[in-house]
Amino acid sequence: MNTNPKTPWQHWRLDTDAQGITWLTLDKARENVNSLSEAVMAELASVLDFLDTCRPGSLVIRSGKTAGFVAGADIGEFDALQSADAAKAMVERGWNLFNRLAAVPYPTLALVRGHCLGGGLELALACRTLLVVDEPGTRLGLPEVMLGIFPGWGGMLRLPRRVGASAALDMMLTGKTVDAKRARRMGLADDCVPPRVMESAARMLALNPPTRRPLPLMQRLLGGPLKSLVAAQARKQVARRVRPEHYPAPYAIIDLWARHGGNATAAPELTERIVASSTARNLVRVFRLQERLKGFGKNTEAGDFNPRRVHVVGAGVMGGDIAAWCALRGLTVTLQDQDMVRIAPALQRAYALFDKRVRDPLARRAAADRLIPDPDGQGARHADVVIEAIYENLEAKQALFQKLEALARPGAVLATNTSSLRLEDIRAALGKPERLVGIHFFNPVPKMPLVEIVGGEGTDSVALARAAVFAGAIDKLPLPVKSAPGFLVNAVLAPYMLEAMRCVDEGIAPETVDEAALAYGMPMGPIELIDTVGLDVALAAGKQLGGGAQTPRCLDARIQRGDLGRKTGKGFYGYAGGKTAKGAAGAVPAGLALRLITPLLARTRGLVEEGIVADADLADAGVIFGTGYAPFTGGPLFHARQ
């Protein structure tokens, strides 16, 4: 029953049970996901006004959506901000409202099930008790920094008080999220329960609020007298990753926490700096591009396709890592190669990945059990997706796909991970060539979010849709591209790396070339990137994609010596113990960064004009998520237009 039927709230529902507990449910009208728009926040203020007149015994705030608690603030309203004054008003509105909630005289509890991000976590933190539901979709975090902004509604104040300064800064400065069990262990949540008992647990905690243990003495010191030391160390760590002129938000978070107790309203100049910067607007654009790519992973043309079993042929670095990633994401995987001797190294790399990514020993064991060595290739008969990842030889791939086509189920996806061969050539040996698609992963598979979904002339649209759904199912971003040399990502990287090596041939030090790119905002310099992919791979790509350009002398000389980059311990730089040995960068010549980027821009624009990728926005998305191209720019073509 609505406790106040005279107040027609659109987004909130208020009910009181027999035990005197008031349940406040957020169910944002006409939306599948809760977000904290201005209207939602205004109604919450109205609810608190009402509760001031009829004080409840206790208040439980929960979500009426199956999708989760609250996804955060309304991104659309952030887009609409036209001035620093409007931004400051938005910060003040949330700060004041959540402070008001935190100060109410009755017990409050946030019942969090599913995603609880940004402003959603700030809402939950404003409650006295935070109860999380232990299920796969529950994630808590303050990822505002990923959008170039800061958690200004109390997160910078209350998160450090709950989990300590170090853990809080780590979450806020990286955008990391934590699951329910981790939230309980670190003190973010007061308790963690399974879904079947969440309401009874909420009732118990609402009627008998727990007493929070104080932080350990060292954590209190780090958040108090030693705060300046913590802030200085945090600035050093952030500076290793990003530059303040490119990404001002993490530096603002540190300053707001260290100097103003997390109160952004006390430092309007920092809010103005963030709003005046193009970074936040561009990162919001990148967020929307990411959501567009995710949409391809929900292609309705795939029907009820729900991939659960994957068969990978080729246990090399790419094939083995694809198999490991699929197993990590919950799929059953069979990994085929000529014998167990060839499969064993891939299994060892997979187990190392599981150890790094999975805390729970039982979950690690389950992931390992899902990865099944299969020298005879029998898994191809039962797989929903069959991926070929053998060496780049056309005849070998054609012969393999003839065998796979005979084994695979009619509705299974037949895919190649080729990065250089034409889809039309590989599928020529198939009885139904339209079945073959490209699912092109990038190295290292666990870190690179993009997967190119490649279609040739006449490729079955249902097969492409199912390939995209598969990519989404393993938490990758599918990008549809047409079959062409290098597709999108490799095609734009080739001229970029070629230009970098031409600079070295002209006598510019590799360190100086890389510094120019880093100063521009690239995550890694092009010379170090060449070392990472391998000089032999770069040579092959250059011959295929360089348009007949002469091989750079610096590349040819190193290959002749056997210096192939990181994998051999030496390339343009030396490598030992996982570290890169570089000399000091010299003075960067004027215009060097533009010289490096211009060929990449030109090739990206050309691929859009040729129809290899559907439009400029998708090209920007592919280059950002496939190469790491400076996200703060909004993408190469967008940045060029600006």
Side-chain angles (χ1 to χ4, degrees), residues 298-321:
K298 303 171 185 176
N299 194 325
T300 56
E301 194 172 355
D304 59 357
F305 183 67
N306 181 26
R308 304 307 310 159
R309 302 182 70 90
V310 179
H311 183 71
V312 180
V313 185
V317 172
M318 284 302 297
D321 288 0

PDB file of all heavy atoms in Angstrom, residues 298-321:
ATOM      1  N   LYS A 298      23.731  -7.948 -28.897  1.00  0.00           N
ATOM      2  CA  LYS A 298      22.352  -8.321 -28.577  1.00  0.00           C
ATOM      3  C   LYS A 298      21.503  -8.383 -29.842  1.00  0.00           C
ATOM      4  O   LYS A 298      20.288  -8.156 -29.811  1.00  0.00           O
ATOM      5  CB  LYS A 298      21.762  -7.316 -27.591  1.00  0.00           C
ATOM      6  CG  LYS A 298      22.571  -7.172 -26.308  1.00  0.00           C
ATOM      7  CD  LYS A 298      22.082  -6.021 -25.448  1.00  0.00           C
ATOM      8  CE  LYS A 298      22.969  -5.817 -24.227  1.00  0.00           C
ATOM      9  NZ  LYS A 298      22.569  -4.644 -23.417  1.00  0.00           N
ATOM     10  N   ASN A 299      22.145  -8.696 -30.964  1.00  0.00           N
ATOM     11  CA  ASN A 299      21.485  -8.697 -32.272  1.00  0.00           C
ATOM     12  C   ASN A 299      20.326  -9.689 -32.291  1.00  0.00           C
ATOM     13  O   ASN A 299      20.516 -10.892 -32.120  1.00  0.00           O
ATOM     14  CB  ASN A 299      22.514  -9.057 -33.351  1.00  0.00           C
ATOM     15  CG  ASN A 299      22.020  -8.752 -34.748  1.00  0.00           C
ATOM     16  OD1 ASN A 299      20.835  -8.885 -35.045  1.00  0.00           O
ATOM     17  ND2 ASN A 299      22.929  -8.337 -35.625  1.00  0.00           N
ATOM     18  N   THR A 300      19.124  -9.178 -32.505  1.00  0.00           N
ATOM     19  CA  THR A 300      17.943 -10.039 -32.483  1.00  0.00           C
ATOM     20  C   THR A 300      17.911 -11.008 -33.664  1.00  0.00           C
ATOM     21  O   THR A 300      17.209 -12.025 -33.604  1.00  0.00           O
ATOM     22  CB  THR A 300      16.665  -9.186 -32.492  1.00  0.00           C
ATOM     23  OG1 THR A 300      16.684  -8.309 -33.641  1.00  0.00           O
ATOM     24  CG2 THR A 300      16.570  -8.343 -31.234  1.00  0.00           C
ATOM     25  N   GLU A 301      18.670 -10.718 -34.726  1.00  0.00           N
ATOM     26  CA  GLU A 301      18.691 -11.627 -35.872  1.00  0.00           C
ATOM     27  C   GLU A 301      19.329 -12.965 -35.504  1.00  0.00           C
ATOM     28  O   GLU A 301      19.140 -13.961 -36.204  1.00  0.00           O
ATOM     29  CB  GLU A 301      19.441 -10.988 -37.040  1.00  0.00           C
ATOM     30  CG  GLU A 301      19.225 -11.723 -38.359  1.00  0.00           C
ATOM     31  CD  GLU A 301      19.800 -10.988 -39.562  1.00  0.00           C
ATOM     32  OE1 GLU A 301      20.294  -9.852 -39.390  1.00  0.00           O
ATOM     33  OE2 GLU A 301      19.748 -11.548 -40.675  1.00  0.00           O
ATOM     34  N   ALA A 302      20.064 -12.994 -34.389  1.00  0.00           N
ATOM     35  CA  ALA A 302      20.665 -14.248 -33.936  1.00  0.00           C
ATOM     36  C   ALA A 302      19.633 -15.205 -33.355  1.00  0.00           C
ATOM     37  O   ALA A 302      19.937 -16.365 -33.072  1.00  0.00           O
ATOM     38  CB  ALA A 302      21.739 -13.959 -32.893  1.00  0.00           C
ATOM     39  N   GLY A 303      18.394 -14.720 -33.169  1.00  0.00           N
ATOM     40  CA  GLY A 303      17.347 -15.572 -32.611  1.00  0.00           C
ATOM     41  C   GLY A 303      17.641 -15.910 -31.156  1.00  0.00           C
ATOM     42  O   GLY A 303      18.080 -15.063 -30.381  1.00  0.00           O
ATOM     43  N   ASP A 304      17.391 -17.166 -30.791  1.00  0.00           N
ATOM     44  CA  ASP A 304      17.613 -17.588 -29.406  1.00  0.00           C
ATOM     45  C   ASP A 304      19.009 -18.175 -29.203  1.00  0.00           C
ATOM     46  O   ASP A 304      19.241 -18.948 -28.277  1.00  0.00           O
ATOM     47  CB  ASP A 304      16.551 -18.600 -28.976  1.00  0.00           C
ATOM     48  CG  ASP A 304      16.546 -19.850 -29.857  1.00  0.00           C
ATOM     49  OD1 ASP A 304      17.321 -19.902 -30.837  1.00  0.00           O
ATOM     50  OD2 ASP A 304      15.750 -20.763 -29.568  1.00  0.00           O
ATOM     51  N   PHE A 305      19.944 -17.828 -30.076  1.00  0.00           N
ATOM     52  CA  PHE A 305      21.306 -18.355 -29.994  1.00  0.00           C
ATOM     53  C   PHE A 305      21.928 -17.990 -28.647  1.00  0.00           C
ATOM     54  O   PHE A 305      22.023 -16.820 -28.278  1.00  0.00           O
ATOM     55  CB  PHE A 305      22.149 -17.775 -31.133  1.00  0.00           C
ATOM     56  CG  PHE A 305      23.558 -18.292 -31.194  1.00  0.00           C
ATOM     57  CD1 PHE A 305      23.814 -19.618 -31.519  1.00  0.00           C
ATOM     58  CD2 PHE A 305      24.635 -17.455 -30.945  1.00  0.00           C
ATOM     59  CE1 PHE A 305      25.113 -20.093 -31.594  1.00  0.00           C
ATOM     60  CE2 PHE A 305      25.938 -17.916 -31.020  1.00  0.00           C
ATOM     61  CZ  PHE A 305      26.174 -19.240 -31.339  1.00  0.00           C
ATOM     62  N   ASN A 306      22.363 -18.987 -27.900  1.00  0.00           N
ATOM     63  CA  ASN A 306      22.947 -18.790 -26.576  1.00  0.00           C
ATOM     64  C   ASN A 306      24.188 -19.670 -26.468  1.00  0.00           C
ATOM     65  O   ASN A 306      24.120 -20.811 -26.018  1.00  0.00           O
ATOM     66  CB  ASN A 306      21.943 -19.157 -25.483  1.00  0.00           C
ATOM     67  CG  ASN A 306      22.504 -18.940 -24.091  1.00  0.00           C
ATOM     68  OD1 ASN A 306      23.389 -18.108 -23.890  1.00  0.00           O
ATOM     69  ND2 ASN A 306      22.002 -19.688 -23.125  1.00  0.00           N
ATOM     70  N   PRO A 307      25.341 -19.158 -26.910  1.00  0.00           N
ATOM     71  CA  PRO A 307      26.540 -20.004 -26.969  1.00  0.00           C
ATOM     72  C   PRO A 307      27.000 -20.462 -25.590  1.00  0.00           C
ATOM     73  O   PRO A 307      27.190 -19.651 -24.690  1.00  0.00           O
ATOM     74  CB  PRO A 307      27.580 -19.087 -27.626  1.00  0.00           C
ATOM     75  CG  PRO A 307      27.101 -17.699 -27.339  1.00  0.00           C
ATOM     76  CD  PRO A 307      25.614 -17.769 -27.308  1.00  0.00           C
ATOM     77  N   ARG A 308      27.183 -21.767 -25.457  1.00  0.00           N
ATOM     78  CA  ARG A 308      27.675 -22.342 -24.211  1.00  0.00           C
ATOM     79  C   ARG A 308      28.935 -23.167 -24.407  1.00  0.00           C
ATOM     80  O   ARG A 308      29.696 -23.378 -23.478  1.00  0.00           O
ATOM     81  CB  ARG A 308      26.603 -23.238 -23.560  1.00  0.00           C
ATOM     82  CG  ARG A 308      25.263 -22.568 -23.283  1.00  0.00           C
ATOM     83  CD  ARG A 308      25.382 -21.294 -22.493  1.00  0.00           C
ATOM     84  NE  ARG A 308      26.200 -21.437 -21.284  1.00  0.00           N
ATOM     85  CZ  ARG A 308      26.786 -20.430 -20.659  1.00  0.00           C
ATOM     86  NH1 ARG A 308      26.698 -19.198 -21.134  1.00  0.00           N
ATOM     87  NH2 ARG A 308      27.490 -20.641 -19.559  1.00  0.00           N
ATOM     88  N   ARG A 309      29.147 -23.681 -25.627  1.00  0.00           N
ATOM     89  CA  ARG A 309      30.303 -24.530 -25.897  1.00  0.00           C
ATOM     90  C   ARG A 309      31.089 -23.951 -27.070  1.00  0.00           C
ATOM     91  O   ARG A 309      30.517 -23.582 -28.102  1.00  0.00           O
ATOM     92  CB  ARG A 309      29.868 -25.963 -26.220  1.00  0.00           C
ATOM     93  CG  ARG A 309      29.057 -26.631 -25.112  1.00  0.00           C
ATOM     94  CD  ARG A 309      28.689 -28.060 -25.479  1.00  0.00           C
ATOM     95  NE  ARG A 309      29.872 -28.925 -25.484  1.00  0.00           N
ATOM     96  CZ  ARG A 309      30.304 -29.597 -24.422  1.00  0.00           C
ATOM     97  NH1 ARG A 309      29.646 -29.521 -23.275  1.00  0.00           N
ATOM     98  NH2 ARG A 309      31.379 -30.361 -24.496  1.00  0.00           N
ATOM     99  N   VAL A 310      32.409 -23.892 -26.897  1.00  0.00           N
ATOM    100  CA  VAL A 310      33.285 -23.330 -27.924  1.00  0.00           C
ATOM    101  C   VAL A 310      34.389 -24.343 -28.215  1.00  0.00           C
ATOM    102  O   VAL A 310      34.915 -24.986 -27.303  1.00  0.00           O
ATOM    103  CB  VAL A 310      33.922 -22.001 -27.445  1.00  0.00           C
ATOM    104  CG1 VAL A 310      34.855 -21.438 -28.503  1.00  0.00           C
ATOM    105  CG2 VAL A 310      32.845 -20.999 -27.096  1.00  0.00           C
ATOM    106  N   HIS A 311      34.728 -24.471 -29.490  1.00  0.00           N
ATOM    107  CA  HIS A 311      35.853 -25.311 -29.894  1.00  0.00           C
ATOM    108  C   HIS A 311      36.876 -24.420 -30.586  1.00  0.00           C
ATOM    109  O   HIS A 311      36.548 -23.702 -31.541  1.00  0.00           O
ATOM    110  CB  HIS A 311      35.391 -26.414 -30.849  1.00  0.00           C
ATOM    111  CG  HIS A 311      36.488 -27.362 -31.250  1.00  0.00           C
ATOM    112  ND1 HIS A 311      37.043 -28.273 -30.383  1.00  0.00           N
ATOM    113  CD2 HIS A 311      37.146 -27.530 -32.438  1.00  0.00           C
ATOM    114  CE1 HIS A 311      37.976 -28.974 -31.001  1.00  0.00           C
ATOM    115  NE2 HIS A 311      38.066 -28.531 -32.253  1.00  0.00           N
ATOM    116  N   VAL A 312      38.122 -24.420 -30.097  1.00  0.00           N
ATOM    117  CA  VAL A 312      39.197 -23.604 -30.662  1.00  0.00           C
ATOM    118  C   VAL A 312      40.249 -24.530 -31.249  1.00  0.00           C
ATOM    119  O   VAL A 312      40.721 -25.452 -30.572  1.00  0.00           O
ATOM    120  CB  VAL A 312      39.832 -22.693 -29.595  1.00  0.00           C
ATOM    121  CG1 VAL A 312      40.957 -21.861 -30.211  1.00  0.00           C
ATOM    122  CG2 VAL A 312      38.779 -21.785 -28.965  1.00  0.00           C
ATOM    123  N   VAL A 313      40.623 -24.271 -32.489  1.00  0.00           N
ATOM    124  CA  VAL A 313      41.660 -25.053 -33.150  1.00  0.00           C
ATOM    125  C   VAL A 313      42.917 -24.196 -33.245  1.00  0.00           C
ATOM    126  O   VAL A 313      42.913 -23.134 -33.874  1.00  0.00           O
ATOM    127  CB  VAL A 313      41.227 -25.500 -34.554  1.00  0.00           C
ATOM    128  CG1 VAL A 313      42.297 -26.421 -35.159  1.00  0.00           C
ATOM    129  CG2 VAL A 313      39.887 -26.211 -34.505  1.00  0.00           C
ATOM    130  N   GLY A 314      43.985 -24.662 -32.617  1.00  0.00           N
ATOM    131  CA  GLY A 314      45.239 -23.908 -32.577  1.00  0.00           C
ATOM    132  C   GLY A 314      45.515 -23.447 -31.167  1.00  0.00           C
ATOM    133  O   GLY A 314      44.813 -22.572 -30.650  1.00  0.00           O
ATOM    134  N   ALA A 315      46.524 -24.034 -30.520  1.00  0.00           N
ATOM    135  CA  ALA A 315      46.825 -23.723 -29.121  1.00  0.00           C
ATOM    136  C   ALA A 315      48.027 -22.800 -28.982  1.00  0.00           C
ATOM    137  O   ALA A 315      48.698 -22.796 -27.961  1.00  0.00           O
ATOM    138  CB  ALA A 315      47.063 -25.009 -28.337  1.00  0.00           C
ATOM    139  N   GLY A 316      48.288 -22.017 -30.023  1.00  0.00           N
ATOM    140  CA  GLY A 316      49.337 -21.002 -29.914  1.00  0.00           C
ATOM    141  C   GLY A 316      48.907 -19.878 -28.989  1.00  0.00           C
ATOM    142  O   GLY A 316      47.919 -19.995 -28.261  1.00  0.00           O
ATOM    143  N   VAL A 317      49.637 -18.778 -29.036  1.00  0.00           N
ATOM    144  CA  VAL A 317      49.341 -17.677 -28.122  1.00  0.00           C
ATOM    145  C   VAL A 317      47.914 -17.181 -28.316  1.00  0.00           C
ATOM    146  O   VAL A 317      47.153 -17.046 -27.348  1.00  0.00           O
ATOM    147  CB  VAL A 317      50.351 -16.529 -28.318  1.00  0.00           C
ATOM    148  CG1 VAL A 317      49.921 -15.309 -27.513  1.00  0.00           C
ATOM    149  CG2 VAL A 317      51.745 -16.973 -27.888  1.00  0.00           C
ATOM    150  N   MET A 318      47.510 -16.924 -29.562  1.00  0.00           N
ATOM    151  CA  MET A 318      46.160 -16.402 -29.789  1.00  0.00           C
ATOM    152  C   MET A 318      45.096 -17.445 -29.482  1.00  0.00           C
ATOM    153  O   MET A 318      44.156 -17.198 -28.715  1.00  0.00           O
ATOM    154  CB  MET A 318      46.023 -15.907 -31.228  1.00  0.00           C
ATOM    155  CG  MET A 318      46.692 -14.587 -31.495  1.00  0.00           C
ATOM    156  SD  MET A 318      46.087 -13.228 -30.445  1.00  0.00           S
ATOM    157  CE  MET A 318      44.384 -13.132 -30.964  1.00  0.00           C
ATOM    158  N   GLY A 319      45.220 -18.623 -30.073  1.00  0.00           N
ATOM    159  CA  GLY A 319      44.205 -19.651 -29.870  1.00  0.00           C
ATOM    160  C   GLY A 319      44.085 -20.058 -28.417  1.00  0.00           C
ATOM    161  O   GLY A 319      42.978 -20.183 -27.877  1.00  0.00           O
ATOM    162  N   GLY A 320      45.228 -20.269 -27.765  1.00  0.00           N
ATOM    163  CA  GLY A 320      45.198 -20.652 -26.361  1.00  0.00           C
ATOM    164  C   GLY A 320      44.576 -19.588 -25.484  1.00  0.00           C
ATOM    165  O   GLY A 320      43.804 -19.897 -24.562  1.00  0.00           O
ATOM    166  N   ASP A 321      44.889 -18.331 -25.770  1.00  0.00           N
ATOM    167  CA  ASP A 321      44.344 -17.251 -24.949  1.00  0.00           C
ATOM    168  C   ASP A 321      42.864 -17.017 -25.229  1.00  0.00           C
ATOM    169  O   ASP A 321      42.106 -16.634 -24.328  1.00  0.00           O
ATOM    170  CB  ASP A 321      45.142 -15.964 -25.171  1.00  0.00           C
ATOM    171  CG  ASP A 321      46.532 -16.044 -24.538  1.00  0.00           C
ATOM    172  OD1 ASP A 321      46.855 -17.089 -23.940  1.00  0.00           O
ATOM    173  OD2 ASP A 321      47.300 -15.066 -24.656  1.00  0.00           O
TER     174      ASP A 321
END
